[in-house]
C-alpha cells in the first residue's frame, strides 16, 4: 500500500486561501500520491514545497495531464471493454510472457492466443475459453476458468495495464487530478509537504456580557469550514487576520510559443579552413572555466515555525443555561479553557489554537479564540440618518484585549437577558468603537432647523463693482428627553458639511463625517443642544446698473462712503444722459427711415407721370419735395454724428468714473461702520 501524508497543520486567511502542511514517513524510493481538484492545480503548482527531513531527496513531482479522458485512453496500447474484460485483455497482449497457476501447478510461457472450444457437459457441449501458451518448444492450452492466478512477467505490458487502469479510475472523479511525489533515499525517512489552496474565508462572531459594576466580558469564536475531500484530524489550526497579496496564475495548462519557420538554404560546399597559429597564454585555464551544471531541484522550504510559548485563556460558555447575573459569569469562568496563542506576523495577526482541532470533510466548526474582559460601558448614540426620533443603545468599546479583533457579528446580553446584536469592525489594540445593538425607546430626540443670513462683515468696491461678504448661519436645535429613571450618557452625531462651528460647545470627538457631542442626561429630564454653523457668502452689485435708492441704502449701511456715493451719483447722471442720447438717436433713425420710405414713393409717382403741362407742374412739385427731404437727411446725419460722439464721450466718462471708484469697509457689526472705511479717489 503506498504511503500517505496526513494533514498536520492548517492556516486559514481572510482573502480566500488556506495553507496546508502534511508530514509522514516514507521508505526507500516510494512514491506519494495526492489528489487535488482541477481548479486547485494552479495554486498547488505555484506554492507546493517538498522537503525530505531525513537526508533523502525528491527526484520529481509529476501530475495528471490536462488532456481529456477519451484522448488519454486512445493513447494507451491496451483496451479493456466493459464486458469480457479478461478474454479481451489477453487477446490484446499476444507475445507477452506470463506465469499461470492452475491447481498446484505453475507454468511460465508466452501468450499465443485465446480460442473457444466445446467442452462436454452431460449430453450437451458448452464453449469455454482456453488460453494457449508457448512453453519452451511446446504449445499448451489451459481452461481459462480454471486458472487461479495469472502474473505478467513483461514490465512493459504491466506498466501499460497499470496506466490504463489508473486512467480509468481517475474518470470516476472527473474533477480530480493526481499529483505524485517521487522520492529517493534509503530506509525510513520523514517527508514534509506544504501548499496553498483556495479555501473559505474564516469568520468571527462575538459575545458580550454586560453586568453592573463589573467590566464587560468579550468572547470570540472563529467559524472555519472544511470544504475539501479529506478530514482534518487533530490538526494544528491557525487563523490569520490581514490581507496578504494572492493571485491565480495559470501554470497547469501547457503553454506554447509560435516559432518562426526557417527555410533550408542550399549552399556550396565549404572549403577547408586552417586556423592561424596562436601566440601567448590560453584564454582561460581549465579550472577557471565557468560551466553550468544541470541537476534536479526539489521544491523546498524551511521547517515549520516553532510554536510560541504557551499561555491559556479562559473561555465563556455558550449563551443560555440556568441562572443569571453572577451565576452566568461564574459558569463562563468554569467553561472549557481557550487555548489560543496570538502574535504579530508583519502586518498580519495570527490566532493559533494551541490544541488539536478536528473538522471532518464538508463540515464546519466553531473554535473559541478569545475570552477576556475589556474597557467599555453602556452609552447612547444618536444619528439622525440612522433613526430620527431615538438614539441607539451602544457599547463604548475600547480594545484593551491586546489582540486584533476581526470584524464580525456581536450578540449582547445584559445579566441573563438577550438585549440585541451588532456588527463589529476590525479593531487594532487600543482602538475605540461604538457598538450599537438596540434602539433606546426611553429617549426621544426632536429637531428644529433654522437657516438665516448674518450681518455683512466686509464691503469692497473695485472697478465699479460693490461686493459684500457675510455669513450664512444654520442653527440645529436638538431637544433630548430622557424618559428613563436612570442617568444616561448620550453621544450626538452632527454631520460635517464643511461649515464652521460658531457659538457651539466643543465636540467630544470628530469622525470623518460627523461631529460627536457628549451630553450627560439626568434621569427623567430634558436637555437642549444648539449647534450653530456658518459659512461665508458673497453678494455683488454693478454701479452701472444701480439706482439712487440703492446708493442711499449702500451709504446708510456703511458699504460705501460719501465720496463713493457722489461718484455713483455722477455715474447715474451720466447714465441718464446716455439714455437721453440713445432715445434721441432712436428718434432720428426712425425719422430717417420714414424719409427713405417717402422718397421711394415720390420717385415711383414721378416715373408714372405722362407728358403735358399739368403733369410737368406735378413733377416739379415732387422734385421740390425730394430736395427738401434730402436737406433733412443731411441734417439728420449731422445730428446722428453728434449724438454718437456725445454717447462715446459719456461712456468714456462712465468707464473712467467706474475705474476710479475704490473702497473697503471692514464691518464687525452693522453699527461699526463709521471711520472704518478706506478708499482712494
Amino acid at each position: 500500500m503506498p504511503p500517505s501524508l496526513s494533514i498536520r497543520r492548517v492556516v486559514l486567511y481572510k482573502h480566500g486561501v488556506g495553507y496546508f502542511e502534511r508530514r509522514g514517513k516514507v521508505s526507500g524510493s516510494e512514491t506519494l500520491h495526492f489528489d487535488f481538484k482541477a481548479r486547485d492545480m494552479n495554486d498547488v503548482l505555484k506554492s507546493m514545497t517538498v522537503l525530505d527531513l531525513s537526508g533523502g531527496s525528491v527526484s520529481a513531482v509529476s501530475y495528471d495531464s490536462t488532456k481529456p479522458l477519451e484522448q488519454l485512453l486512445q493513447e494507451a496500447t491496451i483496451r479493456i471493454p466493459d464486458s469480457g474484460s479478461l478474454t479481451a485483455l489477453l487477446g490484446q497482449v499476444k507475445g507477452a510472457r506470463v506465469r499461470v497457476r492452475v491447481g498446484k501447478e505453475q507454468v511460465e510461457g508466452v501468450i499465443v492466443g485465446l480460442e473457444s472450444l466445446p467442452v462436454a457437459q452431460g449430453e450437451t457441449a458448452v464453449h469455454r475459453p482456453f488460453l494457449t501458451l508457448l512453453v519452451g518448444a511446446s504449445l499448451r492450452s489451459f481452461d481459462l476458468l480454471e486458472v487461479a492466478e495469472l502474473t505478467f512477467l513483461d514490465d512493459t505490458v504491466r506498466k501499460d495495464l497499470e496506466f490504463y487502469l489508473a486512467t480509468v479510475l481517475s474518470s470516476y472523479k472527473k474533477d480530480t487530478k493526481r499529483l505524485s511525489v517521487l522520492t529517493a533515499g534509503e530506509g525510513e525517512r520523514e517527508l514534509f509537504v506544504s501548499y496553498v489552496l483556495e479555501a473559505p474565508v474564516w469568520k468571527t462572531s462575538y459575545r458580550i456580557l454586560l453586568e453592573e459594576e463589573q467590566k464587560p466580558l468579550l468572547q470570540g469564536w472563529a467559524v472555519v469550514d472544511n470544504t475539501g475531500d479529506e478530514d482534518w484530524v487533530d490538526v494544528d489550526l491557525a487563523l490569520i487576520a490581514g490581507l496578504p497579496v494572492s493571485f491565480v496564475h495559470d501554470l497547469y495548462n501547457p503553454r506554447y510559443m509560435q516559432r518562426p519557420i526557417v527555410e533550408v538554404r542550399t549552399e556550396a560546399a565549404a572549403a577547408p579552413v586552417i586556423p592561424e597559429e596562436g601566440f601567448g597564454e590560453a584564454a582561460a585555464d581549465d579550472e577557471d572555466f565557468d560551466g553550468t551544471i544541470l541537476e534536479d531541484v526539489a521544491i523546498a522550504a524551511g521547517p515549520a515555525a516553532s510554536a510560541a510559548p504557551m499561555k491559556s485563556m479562559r473561555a465563556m460558555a455558550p449563551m443560555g443555561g440556568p441562572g443569571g447575573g453572577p451565576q452566568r459569569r461564574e459558569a463562563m469562568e468554569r467553561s472549557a479553557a481557550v487555548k489560543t496563542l496570538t502574535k504579530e506576523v508583519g502586518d498580519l495577526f495570527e490566532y493559533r489554537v494551541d490544541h488539536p482541532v478536528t473538522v471532518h470533510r464538508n463540515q464546519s466548526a466553531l473554535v473559541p479564540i478569545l475570552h477576556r474582559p475589556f474597557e467599555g460601558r453602556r452609552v447612547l448614540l444618536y444619528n439622525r440618518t440612522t433613526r430620527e426620533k431615538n438614539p441607539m443603545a451602544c457599547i463604548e468599546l475600547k480594545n484593551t484585549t491586546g489582540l486584533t479583533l476581526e470584524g464580525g457579528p456581536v450578540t449582547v446580553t445584559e445579566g441573563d437577558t438577550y438585549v440585541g446584536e451588532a456588527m463589529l469592525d476590525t479593531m487594532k489594540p487600543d482602538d475605540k468603537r461604538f457598538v450599537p445593538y438596540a434602539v433606546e425607546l426611553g429617549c426621544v430626540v426632536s429637531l428644529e432647523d433654522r437657516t438665516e443670513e448674518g450681518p455683512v462683515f466686509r464691503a469692497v468696491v473695485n472697478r465699479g463693482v460693490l461686493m459684500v461678504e457675510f455669513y450664512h448661519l444654520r442653527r440645529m436645535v436638538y431637544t433630548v428627553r430622557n424618559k428613563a429613571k436612570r442617568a444616561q450618557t448620550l453621544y450626538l452625531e452632527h454631520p460635517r458639511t464643511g461649515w464652521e462651528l460658531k457659538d457651539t460647545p466643543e465636540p467630544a470627538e470628530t469622525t470623518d463625517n460627523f461631529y460627536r457631542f457628549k451630553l450627560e442626561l439626568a434621569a427623567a429630564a430634558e436637555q437642549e443642544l444648539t449647534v450653530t454653523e456658518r459659512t461665508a457668502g458673497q453678494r455683488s452689485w454693478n454701479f452701472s446698473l444701480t439706482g439712487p435708492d440703492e446708493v442711499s441704502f449702500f451709504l446708510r449701511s456703511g458699504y460705501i462712503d460719501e465720496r463713493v456715493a457722489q461718484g455713483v451719483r455722477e455715474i447715474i447722471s451720466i447714465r441718464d444722459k446716455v439714455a437721453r442720447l440713445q432715445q434721441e438717436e432712436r428718434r432720428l433713425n426712425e425719422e430717417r427711415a420714414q424719409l427713405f420710405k417717402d422718397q421711394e414713393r415720390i420717385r415711383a409717382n414721378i416715373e408714372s407721370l405722362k407728358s403735358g403741362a399739368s403733369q410737368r407742374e406735378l413733377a416739379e412739385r415732387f422734385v421740390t419735395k425730394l430736395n427738401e427731404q434730402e436737406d433733412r437727411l443731411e441734417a439728420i446725419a449731422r445730428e446722428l454724428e453728434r449724438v454718437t460722439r456725445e454717447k462715446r464721450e459719456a461712456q468714456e466718462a462712465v468707464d473712467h468714473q467706474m475705474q476710479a471708484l475704490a473702497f473697503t469697509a471692514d464691518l464687525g457689526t452693522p453699527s461699526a461702520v463709521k471711520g472704518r472705511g478706506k478708499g482712494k479717489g
Side-chain angles (χ1 to χ4, degrees):
M1 182 177 180
S4 62
L5 272 64
S6 58
I7 296 177
R8 298 293 183 85
R9 184 169 182 240
V10 176
V11 182
L12 299 179
Y13 292 82
K14 278 290 189 177
H15 65 303
V17 300
Y19 170 82
F20 299 86
E21 283 185 8
R22 294 175 178 266
R23 287 175 182 262
K25 300 292 184 178
V26 295
S27 297
S29 299
E30 290 182 314
T31 299
L32 296 167
H33 299 291
F34 303 98
D35 291 327
F36 297 101
K37 295 178 181 177
R39 68 172 183 268
D40 292 332
M41 287 300 293
N42 285 319
D43 286 327
V44 172
L45 296 177
K46 181 179 64 176
S47 62
M48 173 170 271
T49 300
V50 184
L51 182 64
D52 193 319
L53 302 178
S54 303
S57 63
V58 178
S59 59
V61 176
S62 63
Y63 51 91
D64 287 347
S65 169
T66 59
K67 294 180 180 179
L69 175 66
E70 294 77 9
Q71 187 174 351
L72 290 174
L73 292 179
Q74 288 177 1
E75 295 176 359
T77 58
I78 295 176
R79 305 283 189 276
I80 301 179
D82 294 336
S83 61
S85 56
L86 180 57
T87 56
L89 171 63
L90 295 177
Q92 295 178 62
V93 293
K94 294 178 181 179
R97 189 166 187 81
V98 296
R99 180 191 301 119
V100 297
R101 180 167 61 84
V102 181
K104 295 183 179 180
E105 181 186 11
Q106 287 192 354
V107 179
E108 292 186 9
V110 178
I111 297 177
V112 176
L114 281 174
E115 52 187 336
S116 180
L117 300 176
V119 177
Q121 287 187 353
E123 298 180 354
T124 61
V126 178
H127 285 266
R128 296 167 67 97
F130 279 79
L131 174 64
T132 302
L133 299 180
L134 175 62
V135 181
S138 61
L139 294 175
R140 294 185 61 181
S141 293
F142 300 91
D143 189 340
L144 191 58
L145 300 182
E146 294 179 357
V147 174
E149 182 181 355
L150 188 147
T151 304
F152 288 99
L153 302 178
D154 192 324
D155 289 341
T156 302
V157 175
R158 186 176 67 253
K159 289 180 180 178
D160 286 347
L161 179 59
E162 290 174 352
F163 169 76
Y164 180 88
L165 294 177
T167 303
V168 173
L169 178 63
S170 66
S171 68
Y172 297 125
K173 294 184 177 180
K174 295 184 178 179
D175 193 38
T176 299
K177 298 297 181 181
R178 169 155 289 191
L179 184 144
S180 301
V181 178
L182 285 69
T183 65
E186 297 180 357
E188 189 176 65
R189 306 181 312 283
E190 185 177 5
L191 200 68
F192 169 91
V193 176
S194 69
Y195 48 83
V196 173
L197 292 180
E198 182 182 41
V201 174
W202 67 278
K203 303 171 285 290
T204 50
S205 64
Y206 299 94
R207 323 287 185 263
I208 292 180
L209 175 63
L210 301 176
E211 287 188 310
E212 295 291 339
E213 300 180 357
Q214 292 196 53
K215 280 190 174 183
L217 197 60
L218 177 64
Q219 184 190 46
W221 293 80
V223 181
V224 296
D225 306 291
N226 179 7
T227 58
D229 295 331
E230 186 175 348
D231 296 335
W232 300 346
V233 179
D234 293 338
V235 300
D236 177 13
L237 178 64
L239 308 171
I240 300 294
L243 290 175
V245 174
S246 182
F247 53 88
V248 176
H249 186 72
D250 189 0
L251 295 173
Y252 182 51
N253 292 301
R255 190 178 305 162
Y256 301 95
M257 292 291 292
Q258 180 138 13
R259 298 176 297 162
I261 299 175
V262 179
E263 300 292 339
V264 178
R265 290 186 178 182
T266 302
E267 296 182 349
V273 176
I274 302 176
E276 295 181 357
E277 182 181 0
F279 298 93
E281 296 181 357
D285 295 332
D286 291 343
E287 59 268 26
D288 294 332
F289 176 74
D290 185 14
T292 302
I293 302 176
L294 300 178
E295 60 182 2
D296 291 337
V297 179
I299 306 173
S306 60
M310 296 178 57
K311 54 182 179 179
S312 66
M313 294 173 285
R314 313 187 74 180
M316 181 172 73
M319 298 300 174
Q327 292 83 4
R328 169 69 65 85
R329 194 178 188 99
E330 291 173 4
M332 293 177 179
E333 296 295 340
R334 291 194 303 269
S335 61
V338 175
K339 299 283 188 177
T340 305
L341 304 178
T342 59
K343 66 177 180 179
E344 297 282 348
V345 186
D347 292 332
L348 312 178
F349 192 84
E350 177 182 0
Y351 298 86
R352 174 174 289 184
V353 181
D354 195 33
H355 61 82
V357 175
T358 297
V359 185
H360 295 289
R361 57 185 294 187
N362 294 322
Q363 289 190 356
S364 301
L366 275 171
V367 180
I369 58 174
L370 171 66
H371 180 81
R372 293 186 183 181
F374 65 92
E375 288 186 15
R377 59 173 180 161
R378 183 185 182 278
V379 297
L380 304 180
L381 180 66
Y382 176 78
N383 187 302
R384 182 180 184 180
T385 58
T386 301
R387 190 175 176 91
E388 186 170 359
K389 295 296 184 183
N390 306 99
M392 301 293 293
C394 298
I395 298 171
E396 186 180 12
L397 188 157
K398 183 176 181 181
N399 183 12
T400 55
T401 64
L403 310 176
T404 296
L405 303 180
E406 277 295 300
V410 180
T411 300
V412 183
T413 60
E414 192 167 353
D416 59 351
T417 305
Y418 162 85
V419 293
E421 298 175 353
M423 284 297 296
L424 184 69
D425 285 337
T426 299
M427 295 181 65
K428 291 291 185 180
D430 296 325
D431 281 357
K432 190 175 78 170
R433 295 281 193 282
F434 288 94
V435 184
Y437 60 86
V439 177
E440 179 54 75
L441 299 176
C443 186
V444 179
V445 182
S446 59
L447 300 92
E448 182 182 355
D449 192 357
R450 298 194 298 267
T451 302
E452 59 188 41
E453 289 185 3
V456 173
F457 62 87
R458 192 164 185 264
V460 178
V461 176
N462 186 31
R463 297 180 179 275
V465 176
L466 168 64
M467 183 184 68
V468 297
E469 299 178 16
F470 58 94
Y471 284 114
H472 295 286
L473 297 177
R474 182 169 59 204
R475 292 185 175 88
M476 179 71 76
V477 181
Y478 296 92
T479 303
V480 183
R481 289 188 295 124
N482 180 20
K483 298 188 291 184
K485 296 181 180 180
R486 62 180 177 183
Q488 303 194 84
T489 300
L490 171 70
Y491 286 92
L492 188 149
E493 291 186 338
H494 181 83
R496 295 176 61 188
T497 58
W499 290 34
E500 175 190 3
L501 290 178
K502 181 68 175 176
D503 300 329
T504 300
E506 189 72 18
E509 57 186 18
T510 303
T511 69
D512 290 339
N513 300 304
F514 295 96
Y515 297 111
R516 193 171 281 161
F517 299 94
K518 183 179 179 181
L519 300 178
E520 296 293 345
L521 306 177
E526 182 176 301
Q527 190 168 340
E528 188 175 278
L529 173 68
T530 301
V531 180
T532 303
E533 298 172 286
R534 70 180 187 181
T535 187
Q538 294 180 345
R539 187 176 295 112
S540 61
W541 291 269
N542 193 321
F543 286 150
S544 64
L545 305 175
T546 303
D549 293 340
E550 291 172 304
V551 174
S552 300
F553 169 74
F554 297 155
L555 185 62
R556 186 170 61 251
S557 300
Y559 301 165
I560 59 177
D561 61 1
E562 184 59 40
R563 181 188 59 79
V564 175
Q566 183 59 37
V568 176
R569 292 190 188 101
E570 293 177 4
I571 291 174
I572 294 174
S573 176
I574 297 173
R575 192 181 65 201
D576 291 342
K577 178 181 178 181
V578 171
R580 291 193 298 273
L581 291 172
Q582 289 175 340
Q583 183 176 4
E584 183 179 359
E585 182 181 35
R586 184 166 52 254
R587 179 185 59 78
L588 291 173
N589 284 327
E590 290 175 355
E591 182 181 357
R592 184 172 60 178
Q594 184 62 43
L595 289 174
F596 285 150
K597 186 175 180 181
D598 290 344
Q599 283 185 335
E600 290 178 0
R601 179 178 56 80
I602 292 173
R603 289 189 179 92
N605 290 335
I606 292 176
E607 291 178 359
S608 63
L609 293 178
K610 299 180 180 179
S611 59
S614 59
Q615 298 292 335
R616 284 195 301 273
E617 292 178 2
L618 187 57
E620 291 174 358
R621 179 182 174 185
F622 286 155
V623 171
T624 302
K625 184 69 173 175
L626 285 174
N627 291 333
E628 293 175 355
Q629 289 178 343
E630 286 295 329
D631 294 339
R632 180 58 186 159
L633 286 174
E634 292 178 0
I636 289 175
R638 289 191 296 272
E639 292 180 15
L640 284 175
E641 183 178 353
R642 174 188 58 80
V643 168
T644 301
R645 183 179 64 256
E646 292 180 1
K647 272 178 55 181
R648 184 176 63 254
E649 293 173 353
Q651 188 61 49
E652 290 175 354
V654 168
D655 293 342
H656 176 74
Q657 191 70 14
M658 293 270 286
Q659 294 291 330
L661 292 178
F663 180 76
T664 300
D666 293 321
L667 310 173
T669 62
S671 60
V673 174
K674 292 187 177 181
R676 306 189 69 177
K678 54 184 178 180
K680 60 181 181 179

